[in-house]
Amino acid sequence: MSLDLPGYAHAYSGKVRDLYTPLVGDIARDDQILLVASDRISAYDFVLDSVIPDKGKVLTQLSLWWFEQLADLVPNHVISTNVPDAVAGRAVLVERLEMAPVECVARGYLTGSGLADYQRAGVVSGVSLPDGLVDGSRLPDPIFTPSTKAPLGEHDEPISYDEVVAEVGAPLAQQLRDLTIAILKRGNEIAEKRGIILADTKVEFGQRPDGTLVLADEVLTPDSSRFWPADSYAPGGPQPSYDKQFVRDWLTSPASGWDKSSGEAPPPLPDEVVDKTRAKYVEAYESLTGRRFD
């Protein structure tokens, strides 16, 4: 997965991102990280053999655009986009932070795992919701629905706000909740003007040595958020989305021949699924930013 980047040492590879440490001579810096978004794609906790061309560049460029739109709400971790040519467009030099040990999720609409929890008990991450909601219902107010930060290959589990307080303390928990919801609201204000609904989002925060909370990783991308076309929005079932739904749909179709419960890795994706997925990521970038992806 790693590349040979002169002046950097490979530190870690996740599902999609690779981390490199800048070197001063042979000594690794302890205050900076080169964050590289690959074209890998994951589904159902597997990293697929197939890649989606330009996906890493779309995620990186869209995050940079959103960081600008959110700059008055919260500082972000970006130091520079001056990176090695081999990863140009898909990498950023960022601050090394002490990352918050919880996944910060905000929902403005009910769907996905939140819908499943609601259908069982009328509650999502400890938040009680009104009766009668359906898949795609807009919530009366956005809610904070955090989860655990599971190791690679394991599932995140929903937790309540009180559990976040127990984990990180009340002052930081309140900051995490308020900023996550504020990012969702700002994202929706901007997206709605472009005919797009931001249903939910997951964001990452870290702290500088002085305790300042900083927005990190990616933000408001199709990998971290659900975006729906507003003109086809119809509560009561799944919505079309700007993400890897083509991949999920094919993997769970008879055409793939894959049994999700088998524990075996999924097969490679057909070219048509790869092309449609790339087009959907590019469409999300262009629709949100108003810029042409080049």
Side-chain angles (χ1 to χ4, degrees):
M1 287 184 182
S2 63
L3 300 171
D4 182 14
L5 299 177
Y8 294 87
H10 177 251
Y12 174 79
S13 288
K15 288 182 180 178
V16 172
R17 283 169 179 74
D18 301 308
L19 306 184
Y20 297 80
T21 304
L23 301 175
V24 180
D26 294 329
I27 306 300
R29 294 190 60 155
D30 62 2
D31 60 340
Q32 297 180 358
I33 290 287
L34 183 71
L35 181 65
V36 181
S38 75
D39 291 337
R40 298 189 297 273
I41 191 163
S42 65
Y44 302 111
D45 293 319
F46 288 95
V47 177
L48 307 187
D49 288 338
S50 305
V51 297
I52 307 299
D54 293 322
K55 176 174 173 281
K57 290 184 177 181
V58 170
L59 296 182
T60 299
Q61 297 308 312
L62 185 55
S63 288
L64 288 169
W65 185 83
W66 277 116
F67 283 138
E68 294 175 5
Q69 316 310 311
L70 301 168
D72 61 317
L73 293 180
V74 58
N76 64 71
H77 67 163
V78 177
I79 296 172
S80 174
T81 56
N82 184 16
V83 298
D85 289 345
V87 291
R90 65 174 63 248
V92 285
L93 188 65
V94 302
E95 299 177 60
R96 185 190 290 267
L97 303 165
E98 183 69 30
M99 300 304 293
V102 296
E103 299 281 10
C104 293
V105 179
R107 303 175 188 270
Y109 293 75
L110 186 63
T111 194
S113 62
L115 173 66
D117 292 343
Y118 170 79
Q119 290 174 332
R120 281 193 294 269
V123 173
V124 182
S125 292
V127 180
S128 296
L129 296 176
D131 294 338
L133 301 181
V134 298
D135 191 356
S137 287
R138 183 169 185 164
L139 301 177
D141 293 294
I143 59 174
F144 181 58
T145 60
S147 66
T148 60
K149 190 174 285 188
L152 185 65
E154 298 182 19
H155 291 287
D156 297 335
E157 298 293 338
I159 55 177
S160 68
Y161 177 70
D162 288 344
E163 289 174 290
V164 179
V165 171
E167 178 75 23
V168 303
L172 179 56
Q174 182 175 342
Q175 275 189 289
L176 294 173
R177 179 189 63 191
D178 292 352
L179 279 173
T180 303
I181 290 175
I183 288 168
L184 178 75
K185 288 182 174 179
R186 175 67 61 81
N188 243 323
E189 289 171 4
I190 294 171
E192 285 176 353
K193 295 175 183 176
R194 291 153 169 81
I196 295 172
I197 293 169
L198 171 59
D200 53 41
T201 192
K202 179 180 74 173
V203 291
E204 297 264 6
F205 294 101
Q207 287 182 291
R208 292 172 177 157
D210 66 2
T212 301
L213 200 61
V214 177
L215 182 59
D217 198 37
E218 63 181 315
V219 62
L220 297 176
T221 71
D223 269 16
S224 66
S225 314
R226 280 190 179 87
F227 292 103
W228 298 335
D231 60 4
S232 60
Y233 170 63
Q239 310 296 313
S241 58
Y242 294 93
D243 61 9
K244 51 191 173 186
Q245 195 59 48
F246 289 118
V247 172
R248 298 189 195 97
D249 289 348
W250 183 80
L251 288 175
T252 54
S253 74
S256 75
W258 180 60
D259 179 2
K260 190 169 69 169
S261 64
S262 69
E264 297 180 0
L269 301 174
D271 290 344
E272 179 185 13
V273 174
V274 170
D275 292 344
K276 285 183 175 179
T277 303
R278 179 192 181 278
K280 189 57 68 173
Y281 275 81
V282 171
E283 182 184 354
Y285 172 85
E286 294 184 342
S287 297
L288 287 164
T289 67
R291 300 173 180 174
R292 183 165 179 78
F293 180 74
D294 187 357

